[in-house]
Amino acid sequence: MKNKNDKNEAAAINYLQCELKEILGSFLNGGLATSGYISYPIIKKVSSSLVKRLISLFSFVRSKSQNNGLNFSNSLEKFNQSPNLSNARNFAILVSALYDYFDKNKNKKMDNIKKINVKSNILDENDYPDKYLSPVLELKKFSQKKLYEYVVDVHVHGSLATLDYVKGWSDFDTLVVIKKDTITDYTKILKLRNLMYVSRRYLYKIDPLQHHGHLIFTEYDFDYYCQTFFPIVLFKYSKSLLNNKKFEFKLRNCDEENFKKFNWFVDYFKNVGENEKCHMNSYNLKFFLHAITLFPTMYLQAKGFHVYKKFSFDIAKKDFSKKEWDAIDYVSSLRKSWKSPKNLSLIIPYAKVNPLLAYQVNSKYWDAMHNIIKLNKMDMKKLVNGMKILVDSASDKIQKY
């Protein structure tokens, strides 16, 4: 049986991994300060929120190095020598240093970890003849030409991989696995950051309102894998853009992360309900609707079950009354009959330079020209109140579980 100190060390390492993954993902997807967001690629400074998050992580690391016997001396020394973390170079150096010491410390917690091998199918271009799907093939070509040096693989997952997508509704979901030798070299991290940010234009070509960029993992994460990030069952339904390499996962316990993610969704929907946010712009509406479709998965994960999203509805539904589940059924019906404005963007060419800014402006243009809520005859009050009922019930069930 593990003693209290072992549990504390494991919890510290797990927290470090989760924060590092989020920070690296945000950085590689852009993570730009306002000046960079507007003036990319001339200015590439890191956002103040991301800088604060890294500083907070180093404060955490310092406390654990002093109290729990974890060794982060070299990364702390580099942190003390890097006062300007809004500088992308300094930021990349520190992220690289933390991954190195995360790797060294996590190896102390590798006893009795379950190993699983998973292999995905390679994407067949013949399955993507529709012009609407051409950005998927463009990303594949870009990955083969530009990303191969830095990544283990790039995957498409979700409805564009299983080809049960809905035009104007479905995200372009991707997963990128970063090589260890990329993470250990800050110059490669910086080069990859530029490539990853520019590659987001392919995602926005399919969904201009998409909130997230690429889902990021490193080979380090596969050695100490938390399924809350991306359940391994999902690899069965994803498609590889570079190769169909077999991945080996070493699974760690992720109960705490499952609960934390579930509670984030609960708090989000409660906040929407308490503030009666029934009037949303198209960008916020997209996030709200997709958060609803993800909630059954989050609920099941909090119960310890990791399933593919499309199967989560029928499984989770059994735990709730018809009234409690009404919002999920309503969104499912919206998805089937979804109407989206035609792409009216006047700045698509600029997306090749600064994709995030281009499509943010495009979403404002959409709002000015169309009302998506009216276009789809959506009862927002029904959705907002319905999700508050559902999350209250789900929270009670998880607390009793």
Side-chain angles (χ1 to χ4, degrees), residues 336-382:
K336 293 177 182 178
S337 60
W338 186 252
K339 296 180 179 64
S340 182
K342 293 182 179 180
N343 192 349
L344 300 174
S345 176
L346 301 177
I347 55 171
I348 290 296
Y350 181 62
K352 294 181 179 179
V353 178
N354 191 342
L356 185 55
L357 177 60
Y359 285 101
Q360 286 285 317
V361 171
N362 186 51
S363 71
K364 301 294 184 183
Y365 185 51
W366 272 26
D367 286 333
M369 300 299 292
H370 292 276
N371 187 317
I372 296 180
I373 293 176
K374 288 184 177 180
L375 184 64
N376 289 279
K377 300 178 181 179
M378 296 172 57
D379 187 341
M380 288 298 294
K381 189 172 182 179
K382 177 179 179 178

Side-chain angles (χ1 to χ4, degrees), residues 288-299:
F288 176 65
L289 294 175
H290 280 252
I292 292 175
T293 63
L294 267 176
F295 188 73
T297 305
M298 298 301 103
Y299 169 73

Side-chain angles (χ1 to χ4, degrees), residues 165-227:
Y165 59 91
V166 173
K167 292 182 179 181
W169 174 282
S170 297
D171 285 343
F172 187 169
D173 294 315
T174 55
L175 178 151
V176 182
V177 184
I178 313 298
K179 291 179 180 179
K180 286 184 178 180
D181 63 11
T182 298
I183 298 299
T184 57
D185 184 343
Y186 78 89
T187 62
K188 289 185 177 181
I189 294 177
L190 292 174
K191 291 176 182 176
L192 181 59
R193 184 195 188 204
N194 292 331
L195 292 170
M196 294 289 285
Y197 183 66
V198 171
S199 72
R200 290 182 68 171
R201 68 179 184 263
Y202 304 117
L203 312 187
Y204 294 135
K205 282 184 177 182
I206 284 181
D207 182 15
L209 301 177
Q210 184 160 316
H211 284 66
H212 58 81
H214 302 285
L215 180 60
I216 303 294
F217 290 101
T218 71
E219 287 186 294
Y220 293 118
D221 293 310
F222 280 24
D223 288 342
Y224 191 71
Y225 196 71
C226 173
Q227 288 204 73

Side-chain angles (χ1 to χ4, degrees), residues 15-57:
Y15 177 79
L16 172 63
Q17 180 187 26
C18 292
E19 283 296 290
L20 259 182
K21 178 187 173 297
E22 293 295 320
I23 289 170
L24 177 67
S26 181
F27 182 68
L28 290 180
N29 278 295
L32 296 165
T34 302
S35 58
Y37 171 69
I38 296 172
S39 305
Y40 184 91
I42 299 171
I43 299 175
K44 303 177 183 179
K45 288 184 178 180
V46 184
S47 72
S48 59
S49 60
L50 198 53
V51 168
K52 288 177 182 177
R53 194 165 184 177
L54 186 61
I55 291 173
S56 177
L57 185 56

Side-chain angles (χ1 to χ4, degrees), residues 78 82 88-98 186 189-190:
K78 289 184 178 181
S82 302
R89 175 183 178 276
N90 293 342
F91 196 95
I93 288 172
L94 293 182
V95 169
S96 177
L98 277 179
Y186 78 89
I189 294 177
L190 292 174

Side-chain angles (χ1 to χ4, degrees), residues 29 66 77 99 118 121 123 130 182 202 212 255 280 316 320 330 356 358 374:
N29 278 295
Q66 294 170 350
E77 182 179 341
Y99 263 105
V118 176
N121 294 318
L123 184 138
D130 190 337
T182 298
Y202 304 117
H212 58 81
D255 290 345
M280 302 180 184
F320 300 93
Y330 184 41
L356 185 55
K374 288 184 177 180

Side-chain angles (χ1 to χ4, degrees), residues 122-279:
I122 198 159
L123 184 138
D124 186 346
E125 294 188 10
N126 294 322
D127 292 335
Y128 293 79
D130 190 337
K131 185 178 180 181
Y132 174 79
L133 297 174
S134 61
V136 178
L137 303 183
E138 291 171 6
L139 177 61
K140 179 180 180 180
K141 184 178 180 180
F142 180 87
S143 300
Q144 292 173 333
K145 185 177 180 181
K146 300 289 187 179
L147 299 181
Y148 193 84
E149 177 184 350
Y150 308 99
V151 306
V152 177
D153 207 348
V154 178
H155 281 228
V156 174
H157 65 94
S159 58
L160 289 188
T162 52
L163 298 175
D164 52 356
Y165 59 91
V166 173
K167 292 182 179 181
W169 174 282
S170 297
D171 285 343
F172 187 169
D173 294 315
T174 55
L175 178 151
V176 182
V177 184
I178 313 298
K179 291 179 180 179
K180 286 184 178 180
D181 63 11
T182 298
I183 298 299
T184 57
D185 184 343
Y186 78 89
T187 62
K188 289 185 177 181
I189 294 177
L190 292 174
K191 291 176 182 176
L192 181 59
R193 184 195 188 204
N194 292 331
L195 292 170
M196 294 289 285
Y197 183 66
V198 171
S199 72
R200 290 182 68 171
R201 68 179 184 263
Y202 304 117
L203 312 187
Y204 294 135
K205 282 184 177 182
I206 284 181
D207 182 15
L209 301 177
Q210 184 160 316
H211 284 66
H212 58 81
H214 302 285
L215 180 60
I216 303 294
F217 290 101
T218 71
E219 287 186 294
Y220 293 118
D221 293 310
F222 280 24
D223 288 342
Y224 191 71
Y225 196 71
C226 173
Q227 288 204 73
T228 309
F229 300 157
F230 189 83
I232 58 173
V233 67
L234 271 62
F235 282 94
K236 178 181 178 182
Y237 302 97
S238 70
K239 299 291 179 62
S240 166
L241 300 186
L242 295 182
N243 55 65
N244 58 344
K245 180 180 179 180
K246 182 184 292 184
F247 292 133
E248 180 181 87
F249 298 91
K250 298 175 183 177
L251 304 183
R252 69 166 176 85
N253 181 279
C254 58
D255 290 345
E256 184 175 349
E257 289 81 7
N258 287 340
F259 284 118
K260 185 177 180 180
K261 196 165 186 179
F262 168 76
N263 287 328
W264 185 94
F265 275 79
V266 169
D267 290 342
Y268 165 74
F269 286 117
K270 284 185 176 181
N271 178 263
V272 171
E274 289 168 0
N275 291 283
E276 298 182 343
K277 297 180 180 178
C278 296
H279 301 285

